[in-house]
């Protein structure tokens, strides 16, 4: 069922948000985002509305204003309870008021209360936030403007509103972006249609906007590519001239960008030990589609395929376990077991049976059980968590991960648009791991295999910073300690500078037993009139660190809270203890009439399957116009996919509408047939992947070669010959296969490779196979 939402009329018709205008300004690795939302109260009564929207977890909300008619009121940051009292007093006296606050349960969800709008009145609200841009696998920086806020599952006892339907709001979107960088901008890409880019002469500035007619039916994502991506940078930003020297906003702040480059020799080295714990979300929302386009798999289907791929890719000698969770949880084994042919087969069988049938999203209890298990000596624990991120107790989850960070690394995966950035990024950050978001038509497998590579590779550790400054100058660290960086990760480090702004920063770290040193000189005139984005992100970093301490400290809790509120008010950025409050006095006359309360949600799509009755109406109409149908029913746990082959009056123009998963994925089929040791066995299922009759494949077996060796060599040739574009997905199974073949001491290996190429119609060289 589709449910209307927004500012609703008494007839349940949406007349909420009229338009959104977004301006994005990017400076290197950070961005400032300004959004203006235009409302009109078309009801016959005064209106109070609640607008709930997501922001990136690493962002800092730093401005909020409201314009009613021609008069604009700029909000101020206050301690949260004081702000709420002022809002309530304003509403009670008939004034227009706006209250913007962070959700108590998750730092990436904000609530905007729009109070007492008279009938026919319009209001425009503007909020500005600054955010760090995340680095992608191809070295690009990603900006995302979310179109979807998923309904969050709240465990019993939490106060986050339960929202059981996804809802649609019709409004227009205007989006423009201006990008500047010390290094030249190579290109800007997006999954949405863009107007042509406009560059300056040296390509250090670019401007781009969305093409006209964008419907905001998906996240707006920009990918920024800079030249010399691994070059460390230090950017100094001047403080506020009117602020008191010695305060955070009064002094210059430096932002250090560290993005280590990993040599190829380190990239190719892999560990064979570890305890791998896979935690799979099987809540009802995992039954939604991965995206809104045609051919979309269910989230649980894609997660199942990915987990099979992970299981096949693990190294012999490691340990593993699988947890499923929803309203409750269960584990495949009582504790992690050694990775063998028997345990792998058992796990693959169970994974293929997984459905999204476990209710809500209780992630705390399975994590508590995992952390209660004794660690296995010489096998570092690596936890892989797959979820669509719909929980209401994010802060409790992050606290648990943080408390156990010394005993594990956490790799988190947000599945589908709307996954909580606070939860997904927070678990990885607190667990010294890495996060990935799988949105739109992204395939999950490449991103997950990239994280497995991180888990098996050396990481940057023992990171230290040495600040060399002249006499009379000092630095104050504003960022939490940096423990580990994986390949492809970048860190932004903030520090407050007191005194003369010059000196050097030397960053040292260990990588695969080798010490690496980077030294940066900064003798720069601080940038002025920059919007203070670096100051505000530095304040946000320090506030988050203090908030984490606050959750663990006892006697110091009130003092920490007071310091957090002080920093939040000084820097003008939001936090868990403050809110933005704006009161518009207007004419001073009370607004007459009872107040209506309405909830406004950002655009989101319903994920329920269409009712069978509606499909049968469609079928009947086809029959009535003389259409002949062959109906293919593919029964799945809760869904019935119906494929229709229509033969119209013109038989030479057939129309095929087969379900997407009828088309076989030969790559995943091949991988699922591999043994834990790395070999394949000859059989009908394998030769079906090759597209050859089994008797022909067996007949071509070279002399004195076993069926297993022949099958494994053919599988390797097939992967290199037909699936090179997907190498990131099968690289680990191929490495296992090569090791297995080498252990067989095959005498006529070159002959086997030549025969395999001839059979499969490929030209893969022996050295390309790694043999």
């Amino acid at each position: 069922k589709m449910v209307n939402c927004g500012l609703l009329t008494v007839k349940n018709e949406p007349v909420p948000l009229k338009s959104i205008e977004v301006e994005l300004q990017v400076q290197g690795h950070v961005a400032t985002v300004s959004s203006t939302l235009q409302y009109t109260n078309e009801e016959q009564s005064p209106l109070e509305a609640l607008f709930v929207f997501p922001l990136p977890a690493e962002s800092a909300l730093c401005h909020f204003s409201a314009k009613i008619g021609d008069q604009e009121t700029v909000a101020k940051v206050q301690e949260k309870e004081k702000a709420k009292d002022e809002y309530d007093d304003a509403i009670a006296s008939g004034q227009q008021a706006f209250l913007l606050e962070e959700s108590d349960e998750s730092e990436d969800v904000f609530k905007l209360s729009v109070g007492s709008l008279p009938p026919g009145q319009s209001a425009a609200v503007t909020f500005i936030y600054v955010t760090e841009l995340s680095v992608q696998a191809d070295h690009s920086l990603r900006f995302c403007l979310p179109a979807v806020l998923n309904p969050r599952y709240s465990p019993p006892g939490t106060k986050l509103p339960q929202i059981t339907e996804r809802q649609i709001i019709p409004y227009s979107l205007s989006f423009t972006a201006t990008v500047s960088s010390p290094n030249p901008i190579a290109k800007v890409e997006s999954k949405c249609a863009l107007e042509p880019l406009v560059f300056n002469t040296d390509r250090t500035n670019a401007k781009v906007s969305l093409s006209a007619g964008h419907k905001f039916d998906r996240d707006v994502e920009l990918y920024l590519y800079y030249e010399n991506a691994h070059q460390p940078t230090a950017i100094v930003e001047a403080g506020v001239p009117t602020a008191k020297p010695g305060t955070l906003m009064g002094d210059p702040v430096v932002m250090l960008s560290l993005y280590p480059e990993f040599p190829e020799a380190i990239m190719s080295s892999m560990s064979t030990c570890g305890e791998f714990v896979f935690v799979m979300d099987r809540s009802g929302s995992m039954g939604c589609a991965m995206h809104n386009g045609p051919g979309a798999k269910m989230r649980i289907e894609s997660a199942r395929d990915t987990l099979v791929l992970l299981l096949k890719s693990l190294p012999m000698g490691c340990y593993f376990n699988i947890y499923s969770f929803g309203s409750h949880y269960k584990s495949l084994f009582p504790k992690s077991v050694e990775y063998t042919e028997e345990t792998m087969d058992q796990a693959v069988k169970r994974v293929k049976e997984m459905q999204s049938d476990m209710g809500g999203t209780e992630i705390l209890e399975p994590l508590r059980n995992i952390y209660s298990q004794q660690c296995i000596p010489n096998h570092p624990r690596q936890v892989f968590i797959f979820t669509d991120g719909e929980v209401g107790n994010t802060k409790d989850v992050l606290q648990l991960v943080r408390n156990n960070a010394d005993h594990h690394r956490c790799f988190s995966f947000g599945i589908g648009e709307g996954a909580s950035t606070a939860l997904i990024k927070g678990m990885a950050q607190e667990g010294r791991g890495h996060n990935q978001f799988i949105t739109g038509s992204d395939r999950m497998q490449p991103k997950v295999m990239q994280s497995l590579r991180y888990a098996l590779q050396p990481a940057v550790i023992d990171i230290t910073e040495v600040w060399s400054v002249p006499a009379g100058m000092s630095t104050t660290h504003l960022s939490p300690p940096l423990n580990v960086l994986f390949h492809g990760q970048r860190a932004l480090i903030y520090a407050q500078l007191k005194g003369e702004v010059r000196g050097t920063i030397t960053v040292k770290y260990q990588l695969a037993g080798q010490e690496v040193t980077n030294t940066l000189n900064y003798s720069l005139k601080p940038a002025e009139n920059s919007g203070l984005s670096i100051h505000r992100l530095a304040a946000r970093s320090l506030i988050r660190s203090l908030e984490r301490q606050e959750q663990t400290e006892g006697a110091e809790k009130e003092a920490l809270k007071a310091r957090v509120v002080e920093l939040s008010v000084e820097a003008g950025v939001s936090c868990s203890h403050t809110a933005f409050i704006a009161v518009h006095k207007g004419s001073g006359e009370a607004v007459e009439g009872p107040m209506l309360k309405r909830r406004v949600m950002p655009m989101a799509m319903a994920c329920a399957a269409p009712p069978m009755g509606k499909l049968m109406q469609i079928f009947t109409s086809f029959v009535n116009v003389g259409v002949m149908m062959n109906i293919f029913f593919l029964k799945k746990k809760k869904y019935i996919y119906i494929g229709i082959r229509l033969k119209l009056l013109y038989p030479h123009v057939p129309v095929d509408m087969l379900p997407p998963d009828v088309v076989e994925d030969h790559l995943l089929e091949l991988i699922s047939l591999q043994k834990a040791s790395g070999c394949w066995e000859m059989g009908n299922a394998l030769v079906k992947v090759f597209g050859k009759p089994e008797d022909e494949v067996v007949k071509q077996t070279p002399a004195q070669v076993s069926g297993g060796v022949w099958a494994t060599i053919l599988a390797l040739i097939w992967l290199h010959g037909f699936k090179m574009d997907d190498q990131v997905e099968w690289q680990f199974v191929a490495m296992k296969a090569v090791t297995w073949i080498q252990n067989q001491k095959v005498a006529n290996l070159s002959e086997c490779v030549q025969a395999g190429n001839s059979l499969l119609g490929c030209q893969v060289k022996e050295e390309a196979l790694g043999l």
Side-chain angles (χ1 to χ4, degrees):
K1 181 184 177 181
M2 286 288 202
V3 180
N4 287 330
C5 73
L7 302 178
L8 303 181
T9 68
V10 291
K11 296 181 180 180
N12 202 34
E13 297 171 346
V15 287
L17 197 51
K18 293 297 182 180
S19 65
I20 298 180
E21 294 182 10
V22 179
E23 291 185 5
L24 170 68
Q25 288 192 331
V26 178
Q27 292 179 304
H29 289 256
V30 300
T32 302
V33 186
S34 175
S35 298
T36 299
L37 299 87
Q38 184 77 43
Y39 297 94
T40 301
N41 179 13
E42 297 179 358
E43 304 206 22
Q44 301 302 311
S45 301
L47 184 69
E48 182 179 12
L50 180 65
F51 184 77
V52 183
F53 62 96
L55 287 182
E58 64 277 15
S59 66
L61 189 65
C62 58
H63 172 90
F64 171 63
S65 60
K67 188 175 183 180
I68 300 176
D70 295 327
Q71 186 170 345
E72 184 176 32
T73 304
V74 178
K76 57 188 176 183
V77 180
Q78 279 191 3
E79 192 275 329
K80 185 178 284 189
E81 293 308 315
K82 289 181 180 178
K84 287 181 177 179
D85 289 343
E86 186 172 338
Y87 177 80
D88 291 340
D89 290 344
I91 297 301
S93 62
Q95 296 171 334
Q96 288 113 356
F98 300 83
L99 180 71
L100 184 58
E101 60 181 313
E102 180 182 302
S103 164
D104 291 335
E105 286 76 25
S106 183
E107 63 191 42
D108 70 336
V109 177
F110 282 78
K111 297 182 293 185
L112 169 62
S113 299
V114 182
S116 195
L117 281 179
Q121 183 65 273
S122 294
V125 295
T126 298
F127 57 89
I128 300 174
Y129 66 91
V130 291
T131 186
E132 299 175 357
L133 301 179
S134 59
V135 177
Q136 305 302 294
D138 60 357
H139 311 302
S140 65
L141 298 178
R142 175 180 180 262
F143 168 77
C144 179
L145 181 69
V148 175
L149 174 65
N150 275 342
R152 297 284 168 84
Y153 173 75
S154 299
T158 59
K159 298 180 181 179
L160 196 68
Q162 291 279 348
I163 306 163
T164 56
E165 296 282 355
R166 299 184 174 210
Q167 305 162 320
I168 295 179
I169 295 181
Y171 51 71
S172 63
L173 171 69
S174 168
F175 178 88
T176 59
T178 303
V179 184
S180 63
S181 168
N183 294 328
I185 303 162
K187 59 181 177 178
V188 179
E189 293 183 346
S190 176
K191 296 176 183 176
C192 304
L194 300 175
E195 297 292 343
L197 267 75
V198 178
F199 290 101
N200 68 343
T201 305
D202 59 1
R203 298 180 71 92
T204 56
N205 284 277
K207 190 170 184 178
V208 68
S209 60
L210 283 177
S211 297
H214 181 78
K215 300 299 183 184
F216 207 17
D217 56 351
R218 74 200 76 170
D219 290 355
V220 177
E221 294 176 292
L222 286 185
Y223 295 89
L224 315 175
Y225 296 81
Y226 298 150
E227 296 179 11
N228 308 317
H230 289 286
Q231 179 180 320
T233 58
I235 300 176
V236 181
E237 181 179 77
V240 180
T242 55
K244 182 181 177 182
T247 63
L248 174 60
M249 300 306 289
D251 287 337
V253 168
V254 62
M255 179 180 71
L256 169 66
S257 171
L258 181 62
Y259 184 35
E261 187 168 12
F262 282 50
E264 186 58 38
I266 291 176
M267 293 288 292
S268 60
S269 62
M270 295 291 158
S271 172
T272 57
C273 61
E275 177 194 3
F276 298 88
V277 183
F278 304 108
V279 186
M280 178 65 69
D281 186 345
R282 288 175 54 187
S283 61
S285 56
M286 287 291 286
C288 293
M290 287 291 295
H291 58 88
N292 299 325
K297 280 189 173 183
M298 298 299 106
R299 294 176 183 176
I300 190 67
E301 288 182 89
S302 188
R304 277 198 311 254
D305 290 345
T306 303
L307 191 46
V308 169
L309 177 58
L310 277 167
L311 289 170
K312 293 291 183 176
S313 301
L314 292 180
M316 293 294 286
C318 73
Y319 288 75
F320 79 102
N321 202 353
I322 300 173
Y323 281 72
S324 298
F325 72 92
S327 299
H328 59 286
Y329 75 91
K330 52 189 175 183
S331 60
L332 177 58
F333 306 106
K335 61 180 182 180
S336 294
V337 297
E338 187 176 354
Y339 180 74
T340 65
E341 189 68 47
E342 181 183 358
T343 57
M344 187 201 72
D345 285 345
Q346 188 177 348
V348 169
K349 180 180 178 182
R350 289 283 292 275
V351 167
K352 289 182 175 179
E353 297 170 352
M354 286 183 173
Q355 300 291 337
S356 52
D357 55 3
M358 292 181 68
T361 315
E362 293 274 14
I363 197 171
L364 262 180
E365 292 309 313
L367 287 177
R368 281 181 177 141
N369 185 270
I370 291 167
Y371 297 145
S372 70
Q373 303 282 339
Q374 188 172 0
C375 291
I376 302 169
N378 301 317
H379 287 274
R381 180 172 288 165
Q382 320 264 18
V383 181
F384 285 66
I385 301 176
F386 298 85
T387 179
D388 51 10
E390 303 180 6
V391 301
N393 56 344
T394 298
K395 292 184 179 179
D396 294 333
V397 173
L398 299 187
Q399 179 68 42
L400 180 64
V401 175
R402 184 182 313 122
N403 292 344
N404 292 274
D406 292 340
H407 311 296
H408 84 293
R409 288 195 295 186
C410 182
F411 296 84
S412 52
F413 305 90
I415 303 171
E417 293 183 344
S420 165
T421 59
L423 178 72
I424 305 304
K425 291 186 176 181
M427 286 192 296
Q429 181 180 6
E430 300 294 353
R432 298 179 301 148
H434 189 258
N435 69 81
Q436 299 268 22
F437 286 87
I438 299 102
T439 60
S441 57
D442 291 347
R443 276 176 62 86
M444 191 183 301
Q445 289 83 4
K447 293 194 172 186
V448 174
M449 297 311 293
Q450 181 189 59
S451 290
L452 179 60
R453 175 179 280 276
Y454 294 162
L456 292 172
Q457 281 178 338
V460 169
I461 59 173
D462 296 337
I463 304 167
T464 58
E465 305 150 42
V466 179
W467 297 76
S468 301
V469 297
M473 179 185 170
S474 63
T475 62
T476 301
H477 214 272
L478 302 174
S479 302
L482 187 59
N483 298 313
V484 63
L485 278 176
F486 297 102
H487 169 69
Q489 281 190 301
R490 174 223 57 201
L492 296 179
I493 302 167
Y494 301 96
Q496 181 179 346
L497 304 176
K498 299 178 181 180
E500 189 178 359
V501 184
R502 65 183 179 87
T504 61
I505 310 169
T506 300
V507 183
K508 298 180 180 180
Y509 54 81
Q510 294 280 335
L511 179 55
Q514 301 292 317
E515 185 174 277
V516 181
T517 300
N518 286 300
T519 299
L520 291 174
N521 293 300
Y522 62 93
S523 180
L524 309 174
K525 182 181 179 181
E528 297 182 7
N529 303 320
S530 60
L532 298 170
S533 57
I534 293 176
H535 275 75
R536 285 170 171 149
L537 286 171
R540 170 74 164 183
S541 178
L542 182 55
I543 285 170
R544 287 297 178 222
S545 296
L546 292 171
E547 285 176 330
R548 292 186 183 103
Q549 290 181 42
E550 187 186 335
Q551 294 173 15
T552 58
E553 296 288 343
E556 300 295 321
K557 189 170 184 177
E558 286 303 315
L560 286 168
K561 177 181 176 182
R563 175 62 176 144
V564 165
V565 172
E566 180 187 15
L567 272 171
S568 176
V569 173
E570 177 193 347
V573 298
S574 61
C575 74
S576 58
H577 298 305
T578 59
F580 282 88
I581 174 72
V583 177
H584 177 57
K585 305 296 184 182
S587 63
E589 299 177 1
V591 179
E592 301 293 334
M595 194 97 69
L596 300 178
K597 290 202 177 216
R598 299 289 182 252
R599 174 174 298 279
V600 190
M601 291 287 296
M603 194 293 300
M605 299 301 294
C607 63
M612 281 297 297
K614 183 66 176 177
L615 289 172
M616 295 312 296
Q617 291 176 20
I618 297 172
F619 296 162
T620 304
S621 66
F622 283 155
V623 173
N624 288 340
V625 294
V627 177
M628 240 175 180
M629 298 176 297
N630 295 322
I631 302 176
F632 302 89
F633 291 86
L634 296 158
K635 184 130 186 195
K636 302 265 177 131
K637 181 91 173 176
K638 288 185 180 177
Y639 302 94
I640 297 180
Y641 291 102
I642 302 178
I644 310 166
R645 183 181 177 99
L646 304 176
K647 288 187 181 286
L648 302 177
L649 297 176
Y650 306 95
H652 61 283
V653 190
V655 180
D656 289 325
M657 295 170 59
L658 287 176
D661 51 342
V662 171
V663 180
E664 297 177 72
D665 190 329
H666 286 309
L667 175 59
L668 288 177
E669 177 66 17
L670 179 83
I671 291 171
S672 71
L673 293 171
Q674 190 187 37
K675 301 296 181 181
S677 62
C679 72
W680 277 267
E681 292 181 353
M682 190 62 70
N684 185 58
L686 182 64
V687 298
K688 185 180 177 184
V689 172
F690 299 152
K692 301 288 182 181
E694 185 174 2
D695 56 350
E696 180 184 347
V697 175
V698 173
K699 183 180 178 181
Q700 298 292 330
T701 306
Q704 300 179 333
V705 171
S706 69
V709 169
W710 179 229
T712 306
I713 289 174
L714 288 176
L716 279 173
I717 293 173
W718 186 86
L719 288 171
H720 283 82
F722 297 101
K723 294 293 179 180
M724 277 304 292
D725 289 345
D726 302 313
Q727 187 177 15
V728 68
E729 298 182 39
W730 52 260
Q731 58 184 328
F732 293 111
V733 298
M735 289 167 64
K736 288 171 69 173
V738 167
T739 301
W740 183 85
I741 291 174
Q742 289 171 338
N743 291 335
Q744 306 310 303
K745 310 296 183 188
V746 182
N748 54 342
L749 196 54
S750 297
E751 179 189 340
C752 292
V753 172
Q754 187 176 351
N757 275 315
S758 177
L759 176 67
L760 298 179
C762 298
Q763 295 180 339
V764 181
K765 295 182 179 180
E766 188 175 338
E767 54 268 26
L769 297 174
L771 296 172

